Amino acid sequence: MSLRLGDVAPNFQANTTIGPIDFYEYLGDSWGVLFSHPADYTPVCTTELGRTASLGAEFARRNVKVLAVSVDDLEKHKGWIGDINETQQVDVQFPIIADESRQVANLYDMIHPNASETFTVRSLFVIGPDKKVKLIITYPASTGRNFHEVLRVIDSLQLTAQYSVATPADWKDGEDVIVVPAISTEDAIKKFEKGVKVVKPYLRYTPQPNK
Ligand code: BEZ
């Protein structure tokens, strides 16, 4: 059965471009992003891994460890990293899993046979420090993902894990947030020192608490 939000992310051992890893050991207490791409030496994937590498400091600042996966072998991954670095002007440091056996692809349901019998689609999982799945997105092979959006969701996840708030449509770090319905307006006014704007009894905004 496929994974759902809140499920425990399965652990695995795998060969990667930085050596063999145990997924849980690699993550430690960090957040994780595990994402698949269809194949090495393909154009969209080259830009995606390049963008991920260029955002390395942004992932690190949020205490997020990144891992890519495809069903290509280690030698192919290593050769392709040279091309990614050259064409995208980056230095790929995060590991790419060589999943020729499809162990990881099957554990995370990354092969969608009606899209492709053999290749992984563009799946992406955000995993919390509790090893639970916090976000799942799936894109087709022909559409590169927006990694700024991944960072935006991580900002929301990390904020909402800490405070009794949710984030509205198109929210970005620093903007006002929503008081969760479980908190009464009376309690919200006591809890959120920066103030509460009541638009409707169920729609209440407060400035981002940790800014
Ligand atoms: C790409 O990464 O460019 C790609 C991979 C598979 C199908 C289409 C595009």
Side-chain angles (χ1 to χ4, degrees), residues 38-39 42-45 122 141-142:
T42 50
V44 177
C45 302
R122 298 188 196 282
S142 50

Side-chain angles (χ1 to χ4, degrees), residues 122-197:
R122 298 188 196 282
S123 295
L124 185 146
F125 296 82
V126 172
I127 295 153
D130 58 1
K131 306 291 182 290
K132 292 196 176 153
V133 176
K134 308 293 183 188
L135 172 73
I136 302 172
I137 62 171
T138 308
Y139 275 40
S142 50
T143 306
R145 285 159 285 198
N146 183 332
F147 287 85
H148 289 285
E149 168 64 3
V150 175
L151 288 169
R152 190 190 74 86
V153 180
I154 290 169
D155 284 341
S156 172
L157 287 166
Q158 293 185 341
L159 179 72
T160 58
Q162 227 185 326
Y163 299 92
S164 305
V165 297
T167 58
D170 297 339
W171 172 86
K172 290 191 294 301
D173 190 39
E175 295 179 353
D176 286 356
V177 298
I178 283 174
V179 177
V180 293
I183 296 189
S184 70
T185 298
E186 194 187 0
D187 287 347
I189 290 165
K190 286 186 211 139
K191 194 175 170 80
F192 298 109
E193 298 164 353
K194 294 177 185 169
V196 176
K197 187 170 109 190

Side-chain angles (χ1 to χ4, degrees), residues 79-121:
W80 182 43
I81 284 175
D83 281 7
I84 299 169
N85 289 344
E86 177 196 328
T87 61
Q88 310 300 303
Q89 289 91 48
V90 293
D91 179 13
V92 171
Q93 297 281 342
F94 58 84
I96 309 176
I97 297 168
D99 194 34
E100 301 131 284
S101 69
R102 292 167 171 68
Q103 175 211 189
V104 178
N106 288 331
L107 267 179
Y108 283 80
D109 201 24
M110 292 164 162
I111 294 178
H112 296 198
N114 291 325
S116 164
E117 285 285 348
T118 42
F119 297 117
T120 40
V121 291

Side-chain angles (χ1 to χ4, degrees), residues 40-104:
D40 295 358
Y41 295 105
T42 50
V44 177
C45 302
T46 300
T47 62
E48 283 197 325
L49 272 72
R51 179 51 47 88
T52 306
S54 73
L55 292 172
E58 292 298 319
F59 285 108
R61 190 161 71 75
R62 291 164 175 83
N63 191 28
V64 179
K65 291 196 170 164
V66 172
L67 282 109
V69 56
S70 79
V71 299
D72 288 310
D73 66 33
L74 215 45
E75 285 315 303
K76 224 170 167 186
H77 284 346
K78 286 182 177 167
W80 182 43
I81 284 175
D83 281 7
I84 299 169
N85 289 344
E86 177 196 328
T87 61
Q88 310 300 303
Q89 289 91 48
V90 293
D91 179 13
V92 171
Q93 297 281 342
F94 58 84
I96 309 176
I97 297 168
D99 194 34
E100 301 131 284
S101 69
R102 292 167 171 68
Q103 175 211 189
V104 178

